[in-house]
Amino acid sequence: MTAPTPADDLRAPRTQAGPNPQHLLTTLLGEYLDSSEADLPSAAVVAMLAEFGISESSARAALSRLTKRGLIAVRGSARPPVYHLTPQAIARHRSRMDHFLSFGARPPQWTGDWVTVSFSLPQSGHAQRHAIRKALGALGFARLYDSVWIRPGSESGAVNTVLREILDGVDGGRWSVMHTRFDEEAGPHGPAAAYDLAGLASAYEEFIERYSDLRVAVRDGRIDATRALVARTSVMDSWRKFPDVDPDLPEHLLPARWPRQAARELLLEIHSALGSLAEARLVEIATPYWPDAASWITHFRASADSLSVSARERGRETFILRAAARPAAGTSPDSGPSAG
């Protein structure tokens, strides 16, 4: 399984093992800022990431790279530079936070429909074959057989466009996009064989094991503001991969005792309980370098049925409520209202 790349103009950093300053900064910006009007000094960003053990040079490199990717932009020509989230990035952050926090809230509306892609290339088409596989993975397809890829649902516009872009004009290249159903959907030769469900289940179980002690500490009131920011950001940074790598298959195609719901409940409990404390800590860290930090820093919070984000406008706190509706089966996570 390959994690889909967000289907918009803003290029999120790729997942990699170990501490990732870009991912941490993307998570912080997505969780705690909700206005493109906020002027964010670079020194404040350095201080925020220092809380996570990120060096100043790595923090400034992360700022530079996220600027190149369009997630943030430089405001004016001040030195040291001042950054802001673009309106497009704000929209993308909101959409992605909805996606992260609502994923798994309710089972998919299953119709039994699959989009199937089959392609054939001459032996010399190594570059095109690699490009197709990468593009199909980014669109949420999984390889059922060598050159047969599937994804749940019926939306095929994006994959048709991608295949034309890569294969039109390639001598000996052929491809087909089909809307299919499986005679034995739950059998050993059915669509579930395309997915590493055992590996995904293990990842959910590792997530639960990693953060179970933190949940106990939260329940016991042993997490103060200083620990809350790192703990809450860590749990979200670990969770955010699942909505992109989990194909969200219907229950009859999943192994028994599927652990996603237990993992989601753990996330929501920690994320909700530590929100205000984490926000307070971030304000404390940023204020020496950003006097207006308390006017702009906020936090998302979620429940089983709805998602809310507190937005501060000139010192007045309002709340924006949105239903945590999941994308329909076969649609891209970013195909709704566009947002880290």
Side-chain angles (χ1 to χ4, degrees):
M1 273 180 306
T2 305
T5 299
D8 53 34
D9 295 333
L10 306 174
R11 293 174 291 159
R14 299 181 205 169
T15 301
Q16 67 181 46
N20 186 322
Q22 292 181 70
H23 267 128
L24 282 173
L25 182 53
T26 301
T27 299
L28 286 171
L29 296 177
E31 284 264 29
Y32 300 103
L33 286 181
D34 194 45
S35 174
S36 61
E37 297 179 9
D39 290 334
L40 180 60
S42 58
V45 175
V46 170
M48 291 176 187
L49 290 179
E51 186 82 348
F52 299 85
I54 303 300
S55 68
E56 179 176 352
S57 60
S58 294
R60 294 191 182 280
L63 272 170
S64 176
R65 288 164 184 160
L66 292 189
T67 302
K68 291 177 181 177
R69 290 187 165 98
L71 290 170
I72 56 177
V74 178
R75 179 103 70 192
S77 57
R79 287 291 179 268
V82 173
Y83 295 86
H84 71 101
L85 292 171
T86 65
Q88 295 86 353
I90 289 290
R92 183 180 189 279
H93 283 318
R94 291 173 181 171
S95 177
R96 293 294 283 170
M97 287 303 298
D98 279 347
H99 182 51
F100 294 148
L101 293 174
S102 65
F103 181 73
R106 53 184 65 91
Q109 296 178 344
W110 187 243
T111 63
D113 295 320
W114 295 80
V115 178
T116 301
V117 171
S118 178
F119 63 90
S120 176
L121 286 168
Q123 290 186 350
S124 59
H126 298 298
Q128 291 86 355
R129 185 174 289 104
H130 174 75
I132 290 173
R133 289 173 175 174
K134 182 177 179 180
L136 291 175
L139 290 172
F141 284 82
R143 186 165 60 179
L144 182 61
Y145 303 115
D146 185 42
S147 294
V148 178
W149 293 61
I150 60 172
R151 64 170 285 176
S154 57
E155 172 56 44
S156 59
V159 72
N160 272 295
T161 299
V162 164
L163 290 170
R164 287 193 189 97
E165 289 175 350
I166 296 174
L167 290 182
D168 272 4
V170 175
D171 290 339
R174 298 180 59 202
W175 54 273
S176 299
V177 177
M178 299 159 280
H179 296 267
T180 59
R181 288 173 175 255
F182 287 80
D183 285 348
E184 296 182 10
E185 194 173 55
H189 304 292
Y195 300 93
D196 180 14
L197 296 179
L200 181 57
S202 293
Y204 277 124
E205 289 163 357
E206 289 170 6
F207 177 89
I208 294 169
E209 181 178 1
R210 178 178 180 183
Y211 293 107
S212 289
D213 288 346
L214 174 60
R215 175 165 57 183
V216 173
V218 168
R219 289 175 175 177
D220 292 345
R222 291 186 281 116
I223 304 298
D224 59 14
T226 302
R227 293 180 62 193
L229 177 61
V230 173
R232 187 175 189 260
T233 304
S234 175
V235 73
M236 173 54 74
D237 214 39
S238 296
W239 171 263
R240 57 184 288 164
K241 68 182 180 184
F242 289 117
D244 286 341
V245 300
D246 186 337
D248 199 16
L249 299 179
E251 186 175 359
H252 69 279
L253 295 182
L254 296 174
R257 297 182 296 278
W258 188 241
R260 183 177 67 193
Q261 187 59 30
R264 182 175 188 271
E265 289 171 359
L266 185 151
L267 162 80
L268 292 183
E269 183 173 349
I270 294 172
H271 190 268
S272 298
L274 298 183
S276 296
L277 288 171
E279 177 184 332
R281 177 57 178 167
L282 196 61
V283 169
E284 181 182 13
I285 294 167
T287 297
Y289 312 96
W290 185 19
D292 293 335
S295 298
W296 298 109
I297 292 174
T298 181
H299 71 277
F300 280 83
R301 57 183 184 173
S303 68
D305 299 316
S306 64
L307 168 68
S308 67
V309 54
S310 64
R312 298 176 186 272
E313 298 175 354
R314 295 184 173 88
R316 181 173 61 85
E317 187 174 73
T318 60
F319 290 91
I320 304 169
L321 298 177
R322 296 192 298 276
R326 294 198 55 260
T331 62
S332 166
D334 290 296
S335 62
S338 181

